[in-house]
Amino acid sequence: MAKRLMKGAEAIGEAAIRAHCRAYFCYPITPQTEVAEYLVRRMPEVDGVFLQAESELAASNMLFGAAAAGARVFTSSSSPGIALMSEAISYIAAAELPTVFVNIMRCGPGLGGILPAQGDYLNATKGGGHGDYHCIVLAPASVQEAVDLTMSAFELAETYRTPVFVLGDGLIGQMMEPVEFKEGVVNPPPERPWATTGCKDRDPNLVKTLFLDPAALEVHNRKLAAKYREIRANEVRFERYNMDSRPETVMVAYGTVARICKTAIDFLKEKGHEVGLVRPITLYPFPHEELLAIARDEATRNVLVVEMSNGQMLEDVERATRFLKPISFFGRQGGIVPAPEEVVRELELLAS
Amino acid sequence: MQDECKFAGFGGQGIMTVGRLLALAGLQAEREVIWIPSYGPEMRGGTAYCTVVISGLPIGSPIINTPGSLVAMNRPSLEKFAPTVRPGGVIIINSSLIPVSVPRDDVDVLEVPCNQIALEIGSVRSASMVALGALAARSAIVPFETLCEVIESEFKRKAEVARMNLAALERGAEVAREKPRFEPPAADA
Amino acid sequence: MEVIFKRPEALTATPTHYCPGCSHGIIHRLVAETLDELGLRERAVGVAPVGCSVLAYNYFNCDFQEAAHGRAPAFATGIKRVRPDLIVFTYQGDGDLASIGMAEIVHAANRGEKFTTIFVNNAVYGMTGGQMAPTTLSEQVTTTCPMGRDTSDVGHPIRVAELLASLETPAYVARVSAHRPHDIVAARRAIRKAFQYQAEGLCFSLVEVLATCPTNWGKTSSDAVEWLEKNMIPYFPLGELKTPGDDSVAGLTEGL
Ligand SMILES: Cc1ncc(C[n+]2csc(CCOP(=O)(O)OP(=O)(O)O)c2C)c(N)n1
Ligand code: SF4
């Protein structure tokens, strides 16, 4: 199939359609309003639902309702909007509803700005809302990967009955790259016998999150915990770049930043210096084992974490590598995207 | 080999569109492409710009601080970005709106009266298309014919717009071809 | 030399970032003139919304807070409850006030919080690039209703002034417009009343101001003025919808 040149936000909208998602609830916010502006035209073509809600609070609770009624649903927003969705995300995780949330991150905290950032790593991977839950978090580094991971997100949401995040920075939403939509990747939604679809010929279904009996709630918590264990065991995805040379320095970066690190690696390779990169594709579950193995490898001398934040994934890298090797951090904030030259400079400092 | 071009001007000058057309031509020529917009507060009434990267290999960083070429459609964008162009690169200046040139002898500077040419063709709206034609002719970033094909197919439902844009592209290219080729100064000069 | 036109003290000299033909600048000026005339500037605290006027604090020469999207009335409640002596106003767009912030404004008005809201209704989301607002007119085209607002699907545009005027708690609610000189005079009078009521500790006051957004309406400045007159005023009629029913500021109404 011919490739199409598409903006990340629009490509995400199309990917959802290809993944048989037929309902989208939203509220405008830069830098991803183009998802809505694309789907307002596209959803009617497939008899799907498009609704601009009065707020993110409402949009995300509409998602709860629609998912619990059996529909395959998603929403997209950016950092401040995702913060408002945290309530619903907690409820959705508790009720075990398959849903997809796309967060095209902008810089914060507060109103911050609208330029790219990765400041919602902790929000996405460690909860965000209240209570004991996790979301699967997928981090694309290109528009094509945004498409592939959005499709994958629907599948994972279905398999584990859990909210799944696609977490990209503003550039992923705004830039255009050629994309291809592979056919038949995601199956249509299966029967959802638990959904509230009317109790004709069956006992009534109930979708709820209240457990007044502490013993019953603990059972529920443990069931969720078992699910997260299974996700951690089965769904870890990452990319290794220039790692076969067993480089002394290994970078860890995700999303757009990982691409910038690759350019830095290629530049240094030409000058005869080998540097490697591990790019987590799933941020939850995090590639703990891979990073531990790298930390244990005697060839590894040090680790450099690069983020568009003040050091959020850094905490996971520290945990994964158990501080076996020295870890440095390079981050830019405020919507400033680090340039490859800056990463090269950091690497040269480390080597000297 | 990786080519990068930055297009910059006022919002409403068609900056984003010509960038997209160049990216489409790159795609048609079966190369890797990426189109990166400026987005943000500066878009309201201020400077708009986008960067297009075309490469034979997968593209790494989408952040290009030193592009190979620049199309400057207004003065603020020329002043802002001219110093960033890599030595040996191309700078297209819309001389209809920019009364100054660039004090650099290590880049190929081409002044093209884009608005004036576009007006002669029929509408000032194709001014940035004139600039794109000049860039394509000067830098061989994509085959000129491919760019023409892309314009034809993108505007196939608006025959008049397509005709005007193709004419603008051609006139821009003519200006570029008329001017002698740029010889970078010898390294020790 | 006699100065006949000068910048109100309550406005700074900063040039605004608003598009040509946008009403925000005019409305800022009306508020600033009122603060000057009533001598309130040094006691005033403005609350900026999230929307094109988020940078209002750069243009007003008084204390300001910047609220989360839609929450300005809650900010203002907080300020006014701890410092009733301050003159507090929110300045909000239609997305900010009537969509995401509907709960906050309804409850602030219903509690009769004694601050003033300047509600700028331009029938679209300006800052994010022209999406549908709760006040977008029937069949009006925006980027999230590209075929025109379909009221059978998303309901009719909300008349905020009427909605709030239906609340029991005494309040001053008026709708004015900022598109033609004589409307601007009336708008100024309503804004002055709103602040006066607040200064007297009387009631919550809200002035809805119909405004142009040529950029996202895809119109020239003059076409935008005409469009407002022809389309918005018939649906959003001008006038005072609710007054506190006392005559302490009588005489200001004429011409409204
Ligand atoms: C929680 C949250 N959601 C969404 C946004 C994005 N946003 C910024 S301004 C705006 C709407 C502004 O429209 P309006 O209130 O009508 O004001 P105008 O710009 O037209 O003056 C939106 C949705 C945000 N900043 N925060
Ligand atoms: S986009 Fe509309 S509301 Fe915003 S400044 Fe421009 S004209 Fe005014």
Side-chain angles (χ1 to χ4, degrees), chain B residues 44, chain C residues 17-24 52 122 126-127 212-216:
Chain B
R44 183 143 299 133
Chain C
H17 70 292
Y18 300 117
C19 310
C22 174
S23 306
H24 275 306
C52 280
N122 61 12
M127 184 181 224
T212 50
C213 175
T215 302
N216 288 303

Side-chain angles (χ1 to χ4, degrees), chain A residues 133-181:
Chain A
Y133 77 93
H134 278 290
C135 301
I136 297 176
V137 184
L138 310 174
S142 66
V143 176
Q144 180 66 57
E145 201 176 32
V147 163
D148 297 340
L149 291 182
T150 299
M151 293 201 193
S152 196
F154 285 101
E155 194 103 83
L156 289 165
E158 207 71 59
T159 307
Y160 294 102
R161 286 187 59 181
T162 190
V164 179
F165 261 101
V166 176
L167 190 70
D169 59 73
L171 277 167
I172 296 290
Q174 291 298 311
M175 66 191 185
M176 280 200 230
E177 284 187 297
V179 285
E180 202 178 346
F181 296 92

Side-chain angles (χ1 to χ4, degrees), chain A residues 3 5 7 30-31 114-116 170-171 174-178 256 259-260 263 337 339-341, chain B residues 16 20 23-24 27 31-37 39-42 59-63 65-66:
Chain A
K3 287 193 174 180
L5 185 68
K7 214 175 207 196
T30 312
I114 61 177
L115 294 174
L171 277 167
Q174 291 298 311
M175 66 191 185
M176 280 200 230
E177 284 187 297
T256 303
R259 287 174 77 150
I260 292 158
T263 297
V337 184
E341 299 81 23
Chain B
M16 300 294 175
R20 184 172 159 272
L24 279 170
L27 178 61
R31 308 193 60 196
E32 300 286 338
V33 301
I34 177 169
W35 173 95
I36 309 122
Y39 70 95
E42 66 229 33
I59 298 164
S61 171
I63 298 302
N65 288 338
T66 53

Side-chain angles (χ1 to χ4, degrees), chain A residues 27-29 56, chain C residues 24 50 52 69 93-96 122 124-127:
Chain A
Y27 188 76
I29 184 166
E56 292 87 354
Chain C
H24 275 306
V50 180
C52 280
H69 194 23
D94 43 60
D96 193 78
N122 61 12
V124 281
Y125 285 28
M127 184 181 224

Side-chain angles (χ1 to χ4, degrees), chain A residues 26-30 33 36-37 40-41 50-57 84 111, chain C residues 50 54 66 69 71 95 99-100 125 128-129 131-132 143-147 153-154:
Chain A
C26 64
Y27 188 76
I29 184 166
T30 312
T33 304
E37 291 171 344
V40 69
R41 293 169 187 275
F50 170 93
L51 187 61
Q52 180 183 321
E54 67 272 31
S55 67
E56 292 87 354
L57 204 60
L84 282 178
L111 196 51
Chain C
V50 180
V54 62
E66 179 207 273
H69 194 23
R71 314 297 178 225
S99 192
I100 193 167
Y125 285 28
T128 42
Q131 292 78 29
M132 186 181 72
T143 68
T144 50
C145 52
M147 316 310 281
D153 184 42
V154 295

Side-chain angles (χ1 to χ4, degrees), chain C residues 53-253:
Chain C
S53 50
V54 62
L55 296 179
Y57 46 74
N58 287 339
Y59 314 134
F60 281 101
N61 183 20
C62 65
D63 281 5
F64 246 82
Q65 299 187 7
E66 179 207 273
H69 194 23
R71 314 297 178 225
F75 277 54
T77 300
I79 304 169
K80 197 74 190 182
R81 290 276 170 157
V82 299
R83 287 293 305 273
D85 56 314
L86 295 176
I87 298 297
V88 179
F89 67 101
T90 72
Y91 185 106
Q92 302 178 259
D94 43 60
D96 193 78
L97 179 139
S99 192
I100 193 167
M102 190 57 121
E104 281 74 8
I105 192 63
V106 168
H107 288 282
N110 193 54
R111 287 189 304 265
E113 298 296 344
K114 291 174 186 57
F115 63 82
T116 299
T117 290
I118 306 299
F119 167 47
V120 180
N121 175 0
N122 61 12
V124 281
Y125 285 28
M127 184 181 224
T128 42
Q131 292 78 29
M132 186 181 72
T135 50
T136 294
L137 294 177
S138 173
E139 291 175 21
Q140 184 186 337
V141 170
T142 74
T143 68
T144 50
C145 52
M147 316 310 281
R149 182 183 185 126
D150 175 0
T151 53
S152 70
D153 184 42
V154 295
H156 290 268
I158 298 178
R159 293 188 183 99
V160 170
E162 284 80 350
L163 188 87
L164 294 176
S166 76
L167 298 172
E168 197 56 42
T169 315
Y172 176 70
V173 181
R175 185 186 287 114
V176 296
S177 177
H179 73 300
R180 294 243 155 106
H182 66 274
D183 294 294
I184 294 173
V185 173
R188 193 166 184 275
R189 209 171 280 139
I191 290 171
R192 188 185 154 99
K193 276 180 89 168
F195 277 95
Q196 193 133 358
Y197 284 132
Q198 180 184 173
E200 290 172 10
L202 218 55
C203 64
F204 169 81
S205 52
L206 176 138
V207 181
E208 173 172 342
V209 190
L210 303 185
T212 50
C213 175
T215 302
N216 288 303
W217 294 356
K219 294 189 165 35
T220 61
S221 303
S222 58
D223 287 354
V225 165
E226 198 152 307
W227 190 87
L228 185 154
E229 173 119 356
K230 283 220 179 81
N231 298 278
M232 288 182 75
I233 292 183
Y235 189 85
F236 298 114
L238 307 182
E240 286 182 321
L241 287 98
K242 193 154 194 191
T243 52
D246 78 325
D247 52 8
S248 61
V249 281
L252 287 166
T253 358

Side-chain angles (χ1 to χ4, degrees), chain A residues 67 83 106 113 156 177 197 217 242 264 281 308:
Chain A
R106 54 189 247 183
L156 289 165
E177 284 187 297
T197 52
L217 181 51
N242 202 38
I281 296 171
M308 282 191 276

